Amino acid sequence: ILNVEQSPQSLHVQEGDSTNFTCSFPSSNFYALHWYRWETAKSPEALFVMTLNGDEKKKGRISATLNTKEGYSYLYIKGSQPEDSATYLCASRRDYKLSFGAGTTVTVRA
Amino acid sequence: GAGVSQSPSNKVTEKGKDVELRCDPISGHTALYWYRQSLGQGLEFLIYFQGNSAPDKSGLPSDRFSAERTGGSVSTLTIQRTQQEDSAVYLCASSSLYFFGYNTEAFFGQGTRLTVV
């Protein structure tokens, strides 16, 4: 089991503001870093998979970066909207196994 | 189906009873995973299937937990003599053979919320 940590545990954002949060993971034997968005009563939705140091991925107003040498990834939300309210999970993959952090719960206030 | 399907969505059971949770993975996905999230905790790995075999059962918390997969498709997670600490959301995920290509995704079902009273 990999020790994957996410911070902060929760955050509140005013609609229209941008925000970001962190995932840290062991850098040894790294395969891939996954980000998911999980809304209440729904399936966790895959956002990004990143494998290479320096990778940057973007999906609409959400983007992510990856630093495999130091073992961290940032997720950014630009111009937050109420529909961005969810728990954002990161997972580090080694071989077949995904090890998840506890998540960052984002609440966007209108 | 188009996605991973789990049933039931919610299950309330009395302490000491057995429960079965079902997962229908995406057609053609050979890898299947069970995870659970207890209140205030992260997603905890339970078991991994490749086809019908389970090369990694290391996350099953006790011998009251078991899982099987048949026909390389449907999986059932069984919890015997349920305890209150078993209350959690149980999630199933499926993926292509052995995460073929490092950037292959795992797709999750909506989960089963188990409450033991």
Side-chain angles (χ1 to χ4, degrees):
Chain A
I1 302 291
L2 301 178
N3 188 23
V4 179
E5 297 183 351
Q6 292 186 245
S7 64
Q9 183 177 358
S10 64
L11 60 90
H12 291 77
V13 188
Q14 196 67 34
E15 182 177 0
D17 287 350
S18 297
T19 189
N20 65 84
F21 37 93
T22 309
C23 172
S24 62
F25 54 91
S27 55
S28 60
N29 297 319
F30 173 82
Y31 274 49
L33 193 285
H34 296 244
W35 280 101
Y36 288 85
R37 174 168 60 199
W38 193 6
E39 297 178 66
T40 304
K42 294 186 178 180
S43 310
E45 173 196 359
L47 290 175
F48 307 114
V49 183
M50 295 182 290
T51 57
L52 299 175
N53 185 46
D55 261 354
E56 293 188 23
K57 294 280 180 84
K58 187 175 180 181
K59 186 175 184 177
R61 293 178 292 96
I62 300 177
S63 60
T65 60
L66 178 67
N67 183 321
T68 61
K69 295 185 186 299
E70 297 181 39
Y72 65 84
S73 175
Y74 290 123
L75 192 103
Y76 300 87
I77 305 176
K78 184 178 178 181
S80 302
Q81 300 297 309
E83 59 264 30
D84 297 327
S85 296
T87 295
Y88 292 81
L89 299 170
C90 74
S92 180
R93 181 160 64 86
R94 180 180 289 171
D95 198 2
Y96 58 82
K97 187 179 287 185
L98 286 171
S99 296
F100 283 85
T104 294
T105 299
V106 175
T107 304
V108 181
R109 295 181 287 217
Chain B
V4 179
S5 178
Q6 292 186 244
S7 60
S9 298
N10 285 283
K11 177 72 176 179
V12 180
T13 190
E14 292 181 355
K15 179 180 172 182
K17 295 282 181 69
D18 297 352
V19 294
E20 284 189 353
L21 312 181
R22 177 187 168 105
C23 173
D24 280 278
I26 292 172
S27 179
H29 279 187
T30 58
L32 186 146
Y33 305 77
W34 284 96
Y35 284 82
R36 75 174 178 180
Q37 185 178 47
S38 304
L39 190 63
Q41 304 297 313
L43 280 177
E44 174 189 7
F45 169 81
L46 297 178
I47 188 170
Y48 160 68
F49 286 92
Q50 186 59 248
N52 289 336
S53 63
D56 189 346
K57 306 178 184 179
S58 62
L60 294 179
S62 76
D63 59 8
R64 295 186 295 104
F65 287 72
S66 62
E68 65 174 13
R69 190 177 183 195
T70 56
S73 182
V74 173
S75 177
T76 303
L77 178 69
T78 301
I79 309 173
Q80 295 178 310
R81 304 181 302 282
T82 52
Q83 303 295 313
Q84 287 185 327
E85 61 263 27
D86 300 334
S87 296
V89 177
Y90 289 81
L91 285 166
C92 173
S94 72
S95 184
S96 303
L97 174 64
Y98 213 74
F99 272 88
F100 184 71
Y102 287 161
N103 60 353
T104 303
E105 279 293 358
F107 296 91
F108 282 85
Q110 82 281 10
T112 294
R113 181 175 296 277
L114 176 67
T115 304
V116 182
V117 297

